[in-house]
Amino acid sequence: MSGTASTLRKYSVELAWGAFAALNFAAMPFTGEWETVPFHFVWVSLTLVYGFRVWRLWPTAGALSAVVLVSGVALVAMSERGQVSAAELTEVPLMAAMFVAMVWHARRRQAALEELRRVTERERDFVRDASHELRTPITIARGHAELIRAAAESDQIVADAEIVLDELSRLERVAERLLLLAAVEHPGFLRLSLVDVDALVTETGRRWSASATRAWRVHADAGGLVYADGERLSYALDALIENAVKFTSNGGAIAIRAWKAGDAAMIEVRDDGPGVAPEQSGRIFERFAGTRGGGGTGLGLPIVKAIVEAHGGSITLHSSVGAGASFRVRLPGFRPQAADFRVAQARDAA
């Protein structure tokens, strides 16, 4: 019984269309001067259903043949009774030809989308594999560079080894970020749980404000929770703050805050740096498109965007040249912090 119900649900659109078509064909002899209206209803509905389903070749051919046969027989019978002109019969091959043209375009589009999916998967696999392969040579090279630095008797050799180690660290960050980007579309990318938005922002601000070279302002009064991956959100928030630090001079101000906006939690990272030029703002979240001031890997902000969107949220940039930059993250599904959650939180902290 359950198998029958499942089959009916699977083909519910086709069954509904079949009933609709049968009713229209049955109504054709009784519609007077509007006798061809049901005929056109059948063809238009067939086109609409196919546009949603894009059946395989044989089911498509079968449906088309059935409609051509039934509509042709109906029009022939009506023509013999004098209900329609014989010229109406030309509509059958005409409508069939239009449907075939639509089928051709739909199948071309489907093939193009499938090819795009395969290319995307190949690119994702390549990025993941390349990132994994980079780790071993980077680790080996780092070990040798550290040995050279430790054994060096010349200041110049020490300085050169430091440069090599810095570049290897940069390569490690690129590899890690590429792996993260490759994992974004994986079903297990997020491990969801209830996350206290204020606690996340406050803890992140506490870690970063240990740097006395910036003026830090942290304010969190969302007063609630989101169903999210706390580790991924923390990574995204760190990336936004790292970006703000990079473009804020010593003594500059960086503000981190969280608040409630309707059914969403908002998190903002704002700096008083040089801002973002209009020609850059439209591409700043694109992969490898560069950073606000040039340099960098061009992966930090795209990773933030990918993590936020994986949560069903969005990120926006508000900036102008010379007036700093503000990145605002919107996370849906906000819920006020329940009393029992606060009790459990206090118990865990004890």
Side-chain angles (χ1 to χ4, degrees):
M1 185 66 180
S2 60
T4 302
S6 177
T7 302
L8 289 174
R9 283 195 300 272
K10 182 178 180 181
Y11 296 105
S12 58
V13 173
E14 286 82 355
L15 292 172
W17 173 79
F20 177 79
L23 287 173
N24 276 277
F25 280 134
M28 284 179 66
F30 308 103
T31 51
E33 60 182 0
W34 303 98
E35 64 278 341
T36 59
V37 171
F39 166 83
H40 290 103
F41 276 168
V42 171
W43 281 102
V44 170
S45 63
L46 175 63
T47 303
L48 290 174
V49 170
Y50 183 84
F52 282 107
R53 294 298 202 185
V54 189
W55 302 314
R56 293 177 182 273
L57 183 60
W58 286 113
T60 302
L64 176 61
S65 300
V67 173
V68 167
L69 178 63
V70 175
S71 59
V73 168
L75 286 178
V76 167
M78 294 172 68
S79 174
E80 289 178 348
R81 290 197 297 268
Q83 290 179 284
V84 297
S85 166
E88 296 287 351
L89 291 172
T90 60
E91 294 234 12
V92 175
L94 176 62
M95 298 299 288
M98 291 175 65
F99 179 75
V100 168
M102 192 278 297
V103 168
W104 180 68
H105 283 291
R107 296 186 70 85
R108 281 185 61 207
R109 179 178 179 275
Q110 188 181 50
L113 290 174
E114 181 62 25
E115 179 62 23
L116 178 61
R117 185 189 63 79
R118 287 195 294 267
V119 170
T120 301
E121 287 182 354
R122 286 198 296 267
E123 289 180 349
R124 187 165 58 247
D125 291 343
F126 170 77
V127 169
R128 184 183 61 249
D129 294 342
S131 300
H132 277 300
E133 291 297 325
L134 278 172
R135 285 184 167 185
T136 299
I138 289 174
T139 302
I140 294 172
R142 174 179 287 282
H144 283 282
E146 288 174 346
L147 287 174
I148 292 171
R149 181 181 62 181
E153 298 179 355
S154 165
D155 291 342
Q156 183 61 50
I157 293 177
V158 171
D160 290 343
E162 292 288 354
I163 292 173
V164 171
L165 288 169
D166 287 343
E167 291 302 311
L168 287 172
S169 296
R170 182 171 178 271
L171 277 175
E172 280 182 328
R173 290 194 299 273
V174 171
E176 290 173 359
R177 290 177 174 180
L178 285 172
L179 276 174
L180 185 58
L181 281 173
V184 165
E185 296 179 10
H186 192 275
F189 177 66
L190 298 179
R191 296 182 178 180
L192 301 175
S193 63
L194 287 174
V195 175
D196 185 326
V197 177
D198 292 344
L200 173 69
V201 170
T202 301
E203 172 59 22
T204 304
R206 184 192 64 77
R207 286 190 288 105
W208 282 91
S209 60
S211 169
T213 58
R214 307 290 191 281
W216 295 89
R217 293 193 293 272
V218 181
H219 182 69
D221 63 355
L225 314 167
V226 289
Y227 199 53
D229 186 323
E231 184 177 346
R232 298 296 194 196
L233 285 184
S234 181
Y235 185 99
L237 194 51
D238 281 342
L240 287 176
I241 297 172
E242 179 184 2
N243 180 75
V245 169
K246 181 177 180 180
F247 294 100
T248 305
S249 58
N250 288 343
I254 297 176
I256 313 165
R257 67 185 184 114
W259 70 97
K260 173 182 176 292
D263 61 349
M266 302 293 296
I267 301 175
E268 179 187 55
V269 175
R270 187 176 70 252
D271 65 66
D272 63 359
V276 182
E279 61 271 17
Q280 286 183 302
S281 61
R283 302 180 62 239
I284 201 165
F285 294 109
E286 295 179 9
R287 300 177 185 184
F288 304 107
T291 57
R292 290 162 60 180
T297 63
L299 292 174
L301 292 177
I303 286 176
V304 174
K305 183 174 183 286
I307 291 174
V308 171
E309 290 183 347
H311 285 85
S314 60
I315 180 169
T316 54
L317 166 65
H318 304 270
S319 179
S320 58
V321 177
S326 168
F327 290 90
R328 292 183 183 176
V329 172
R330 181 185 183 278
L331 297 171
F334 177 85
R335 64 193 74 183
Q337 194 174 37
D340 56 348
F341 184 84
R342 290 196 296 269
V343 170
Q345 207 174 32
R347 184 178 62 248
D348 294 340

